[in-house]
Amino acid sequence: MVKVKEKLLDKINGPDDLKKLPPENLPEVCQELREFIIDAVSTNPGHFGASLGVVELTVALHYVYNTPYDLMVWDVGHQAYGHKILTGRRDIFHTNRKFKGLSGFPKREESEYDTFGVGHSSTSISAALGMAVASGLKNESDRKIVAIIGDGAMTGGMAFEALNNAGASKANLLVILNDNNMAIDPNAGVIGQYLLNISKSHTYNRVKKEVWEGLGKLDGFGKKTRKFIQKNQHALKNILLKENNLFEAFDFRYFGPIDGHDVDYLTEVLHDLKDIPGPKLLHIVTKKGKGFLQAEKDQTKYHAPGLFNKETGEIIISGCPIENTHKFQNVFGETLLELAEQNEKIVGITPAMPSGCSMNLMIAKMPHRAFDVGIAEQHAVTFAAGLATQGMVPFCNIYSTFMQRAYDQVIHDVAIQSLPVIFCLDRGGLVGEDGPTHHGAFDITYMRTVPNMIVCAPMDEPDLRNLMYTAQLGELKQPISIRYPRGCGIEPDWRKPFEKIEIGKGRQLSEGKDLAILTIGKSGIFAQHALKKLEEEEISVAHFDLRFVKPLDEALLSTVFEKYNKIITVEDGAIKGGFGSAILEFMAENGYSAQVKVLGIPDKFIEHGSLRELYKLCGIDRNGITRAVKEMLGK
């Protein structure tokens, strides 16, 4: 009987176990960790390519640094699967992104090794600088702080704000730039090209390597002298690169670029950098999807591929539940292209999500009229505002959760000037396994408080098309927010001729005498399902799809309040300040009186899980609506 060799990874229940291994075992740990991630994500979908790309870096960091005392901040967070596996969560990693299981992102409540909750991009340097300054104020001179930024996060303006502050502060901070030239899609803008130019400067890298190795061989030029030379090598860089280094201009000591998949060299460099004070940046070059051929070749598709065959790489595609229906994002992308072909003033803007929102269709056909601006939501909004001042028709597509980052620009640069920017907010409402950092819970609330803003939400795919069509006709003299959900629609025959929708007008979808349900957006689909169930029990409910939260259809609402004294509102958004609040405000302002029940996302952050589980948790699925109706009617 052949004895199966025990894996090194099986013995690692924390970084202390990793540190017990001799350095020569680290490549084997990396291979096992990479295989573990492939096995886990192929059967339990999650973010894939990003974590494969930082396996060696993750192992080296936990081998060199005294975590959790030394603090590591991961940017974006979907790079951190290996980090979770090495820090005591290996045996429960199968629960990753599942309801009541591990979060798909670092989460402070989950582990002392998760120093900062992350999900949005470009935050790591700011957070790490705060930690470094705090350590200095507490005289913790031995504590090391590391920010790991990558996957396009350096295209975000917040990263440069932090670099500017950190360089001036002289705080003891190491920033590791994981340079793979990718976000979800290839990096946009000149930063990616700048980094590529550095990494491909063969002259600089060859001379640096020869000088470095030569100093180590000469008598009298030991480790300390080599460190001194490395700290003062900017002159060599400037001569050979024929330009000043961007990061050194921020008063960071720049090191690299080095191979981010050489775990032995990474550990050596990290050991050396521990003893160098002040702000430092280590530039490592990695490949997203490293170690899985298909993920290396198609990095966008394998960013988060869903279920796939780990042997062949074949992605197991699960279609929409209703045959021939499409995801709302695809309806948006195809409709935008169709409208742009008819209206030459239309331009498309997205902050680093062309594949996610399907604007890649327009970018492919009309690259001069569709723009991926990088992870830069604030810029995206004001860029759209500038276009609008010149008579263009900008469709600015930003996920609901990411639009929160550009709220000042929405108010100051768009709404105050009443510019007709068309905001298309993808992933409005609960999004599922990505959890609280990605749920689009707040856009109805934060958009409807802004003067001059039109706020609407389509219930189905034809409605989305028609709202987009209406918005680009040139009749609007103000901005409009069109929010739609993640996932599949319900209408196979959605490619219908365009119809103009009257701004601020809702519609009645069913008659009823016992009670009225008012819905906005996708929640109308849940209400329709509930009504079918209630009809079987001879409960008569009227259903009104308002379409617009602002302006409200006051004539329709007056009819509702005059006829019904029991009303339920349903929304896939925050209850506080949302659609239901708008209905209650209307009732109070107009002197109506009724028993009103507001269903939606409660006043707390909703955890991750499947959409089915989360809709049930919030009570806005078919059964939740049915139960609310029966309770209100005393049945």
Side-chain angles (χ1 to χ4, degrees):
M1 183 176 179
V2 179
K3 187 176 181 181
V4 179
K5 179 185 175 183
E6 187 178 6
K7 292 184 176 181
L8 295 174
L9 188 62
D10 292 339
K11 302 175 184 177
I12 300 173
N13 296 307
D16 288 344
D17 295 327
L18 177 65
K19 291 179 175 66
K20 294 174 184 175
L21 299 174
E24 56 267 25
N25 281 161
L26 296 185
E28 186 177 349
V29 172
C30 292
Q31 180 61 28
E32 291 179 4
L33 181 57
R34 185 166 273 116
E35 290 172 356
F36 187 98
I37 293 171
I38 293 170
D39 287 344
V41 181
S42 65
T43 56
N44 179 30
H47 293 104
F48 185 56
S51 283
L52 288 185
V54 294
V55 163
E56 288 79 12
L57 174 63
T58 306
V59 170
L61 283 168
H62 280 295
Y63 192 73
V64 171
Y65 286 92
N66 180 28
T67 56
Y69 180 73
D70 290 338
L71 304 174
M72 266 182 231
V73 183
W74 293 89
D75 212 293
V76 183
H78 54 237
Q79 305 176 86
Y81 285 7
H83 159 78
K84 291 199 171 200
I85 293 161
L86 292 177
T87 54
R89 288 166 277 184
R90 180 193 64 238
D91 293 341
I92 57 172
F93 194 72
H94 63 279
T95 70
N96 186 46
R97 291 165 53 89
K98 291 183 178 178
F99 191 53
K100 302 298 182 184
L102 291 177
S103 168
F105 302 95
K107 186 176 180 181
R108 281 171 56 82
E109 306 95 286
E110 189 177 287
S111 170
E112 62 181 336
Y113 291 95
D114 292 358
T115 62
F116 200 75
V118 290
H120 290 187
S121 163
S122 313
T123 60
S124 61
I125 304 175
S126 297
L129 176 60
M131 296 173 187
V133 169
S135 294
L137 293 172
K138 295 190 291 182
N139 295 316
E140 297 169 342
S141 58
D142 59 334
R143 174 171 268 183
K144 309 301 180 185
I145 316 291
V146 183
I148 305 101
I149 185 167
D151 259 31
M154 196 57 87
T155 66
M158 187 175 174
F160 287 91
E161 294 173 23
L163 286 172
N164 181 56
N165 189 195
S169 75
K170 308 301 181 186
N172 191 14
L173 169 69
L174 171 63
V175 174
I176 297 178
L177 172 56
N178 170 33
D179 174 14
N180 58 20
N181 202 35
M182 289 289 293
I184 294 176
D185 295 272
N187 278 345
V190 299
I191 293 296
Q193 186 59 50
Y194 173 79
L195 296 174
L196 190 63
N197 290 343
I198 292 179
S199 64
K200 288 190 172 182
S201 177
H202 298 297
T203 303
Y204 164 59
N205 284 295
R206 185 183 70 253
V207 173
K208 184 186 75 170
K209 187 172 185 290
E210 289 172 355
V211 170
W212 186 254
E213 292 179 349
L215 287 172
K217 293 175 182 175
L218 293 174
D219 292 338
F221 288 90
K223 187 176 181 182
K224 288 184 179 180
T225 306
R226 288 174 60 173
K227 282 184 184 176
F228 176 79
I229 294 296
Q230 189 172 26
K231 284 190 287 183
N232 293 278
Q233 61 183 311
H234 60 275
L236 173 65
K237 291 182 188 137
N238 293 346
I239 293 169
L240 296 175
L241 293 177
K242 297 180 181 179
E243 61 184 10
N244 287 319
N245 182 282
L246 172 65
F247 303 108
E248 289 178 345
F250 280 104
D251 261 359
F252 271 71
R253 289 172 173 164
Y254 172 86
F255 303 91
I258 68 171
D259 181 1
H261 297 302
D262 185 340
V263 68
D264 296 324
Y265 188 48
L266 272 173
T267 54
E268 289 179 22
V269 171
L270 290 174
H271 270 299
D272 285 348
L273 292 181
K274 282 179 71 175
D275 299 327
I276 299 175
K280 308 164 288 292
L281 187 138
L282 173 63
H283 180 184
I284 70 170
V285 179
T286 64
K287 178 170 282 190
K288 192 169 182 178
K290 175 71 174 178
F292 194 79
L293 183 61
Q294 292 82 356
E296 292 183 23
K297 288 183 176 179
D298 195 338
Q299 296 173 339
T300 297
K301 183 182 291 185
Y302 284 86
H303 172 77
L307 293 171
F308 64 93
N309 185 316
K310 68 177 184 179
E311 305 298 334
T312 65
E314 179 186 3
I315 294 175
I316 303 167
I317 299 174
S318 55
C320 291
I322 302 174
E323 190 175 355
N324 296 325
T325 56
H326 282 63
K327 293 180 178 179
F328 277 92
Q329 67 191 56
N330 296 334
V331 175
F332 164 82
E334 293 187 30
T335 301
L336 179 64
L337 180 59
E338 187 178 345
L339 290 171
E341 289 170 341
Q342 300 173 15
N343 184 348
E344 64 182 12
K345 292 184 177 180
I346 288 176
V347 290
I349 303 151
T350 180
M353 301 304 295
S355 296
C357 76
S358 295
M359 199 178 286
N360 56 346
L361 302 177
M362 185 177 177
I363 290 174
K365 283 205 168 185
M366 303 177 179
H368 60 295
R369 288 171 55 194
F371 305 93
D372 175 3
V373 301
I375 302 176
E377 293 85 2
Q378 293 172 300
H379 164 61
V381 170
T382 306
F383 175 43
L387 286 161
T389 66
Q390 300 305 304
M392 305 307 289
V393 181
F395 277 79
C396 184
N397 187 300
I398 302 181
Y399 288 11
S400 168
T401 182
F402 300 144
M403 179 58 89
Q404 294 159 191
R405 309 180 69 162
Y407 192 50
D408 178 65
Q409 286 68 32
V410 169
I411 295 172
H412 186 273
D413 298 337
V414 177
I416 287 178
Q417 304 184 90
S418 202
L419 293 171
V421 174
I422 303 165
F423 293 113
C424 294
L425 304 192
D426 198 340
R427 272 70 164 175
L430 298 167
V431 298
E433 290 82 0
D434 282 337
T437 59
H438 282 59
H439 293 320
F442 308 111
D443 60 271
I444 293 177
T445 299
Y446 66 66
M447 282 300 195
R448 86 173 188 90
T449 63
V450 179
N452 294 333
M453 183 69 68
I454 297 170
V455 182
C456 60
M459 190 178 94
D460 53 27
E461 306 96 306
D463 241 17
L464 173 57
R465 277 172 59 80
N466 290 331
L467 285 168
M468 292 173 64
Y469 169 74
T470 301
Q472 58 84 51
L473 288 174
E475 299 175 5
L476 298 184
K477 306 303 178 186
Q478 62 196 107
I480 183 171
S481 168
I482 307 171
R483 68 107 69 165
Y484 53 92
R486 181 186 187 189
C488 298
I490 60 167
E491 180 58 67
D493 185 24
W494 57 267
R495 289 186 183 85
K496 297 177 180 178
F498 291 117
E499 295 180 13
K500 180 182 174 182
I501 292 177
E502 186 176 352
I503 299 297
K505 290 299 177 183
R507 56 183 176 170
Q508 183 169 2
L509 298 180
S510 65
E511 300 279 351
K513 58 182 176 57
D514 297 330
L515 178 148
I517 292 180
L518 309 179
T519 62
I520 189 72
K522 186 180 179 180
S523 63
I525 298 172
F526 305 146
Q528 289 281 292
H529 293 160
L531 262 59
K532 289 180 182 178
K533 187 174 182 181
L534 290 164
E535 284 174 9
E536 296 171 0
E537 302 182 38
E538 298 184 350
I539 297 175
S540 178
V541 177
H543 179 202
F544 299 85
D545 169 32
L546 268 289
R547 274 186 176 147
F548 292 86
V549 182
K550 185 180 183 181
L552 286 169
D553 189 339
E554 295 191 354
L556 181 63
L557 286 176
S558 293
T559 301
V560 171
F561 277 98
E562 287 166 4
K563 185 174 181 180
Y564 300 95
N565 61 8
K566 289 181 171 58
I567 297 170
I568 294 175
T569 70
V570 191
E571 60 196 296
D572 184 10
I575 287 175
K576 298 293 185 183
F579 170 66
S581 292
I583 301 302
L584 290 170
E585 290 167 16
F586 171 85
M587 181 179 74
E589 290 168 2
N590 291 276
Y592 291 112
S593 179
Q595 182 184 353
V596 179
K597 173 71 173 176
V598 178
L599 300 181
I601 299 175
D603 189 24
K604 62 180 181 180
F605 292 106
I606 304 302
E607 59 188 296
H608 60 278
S610 70
L611 281 173
R612 182 186 296 271
E613 290 166 326
L614 301 186
Y615 290 143
K616 179 180 178 181
L617 180 68
C618 294
I620 59 174
D621 62 350
R622 183 190 71 165
N623 291 337
I625 296 170
T626 301
R627 182 170 57 251
V629 169
K630 288 183 175 182
E631 288 174 355
M632 184 169 276
L633 295 175
K635 297 186 179 183

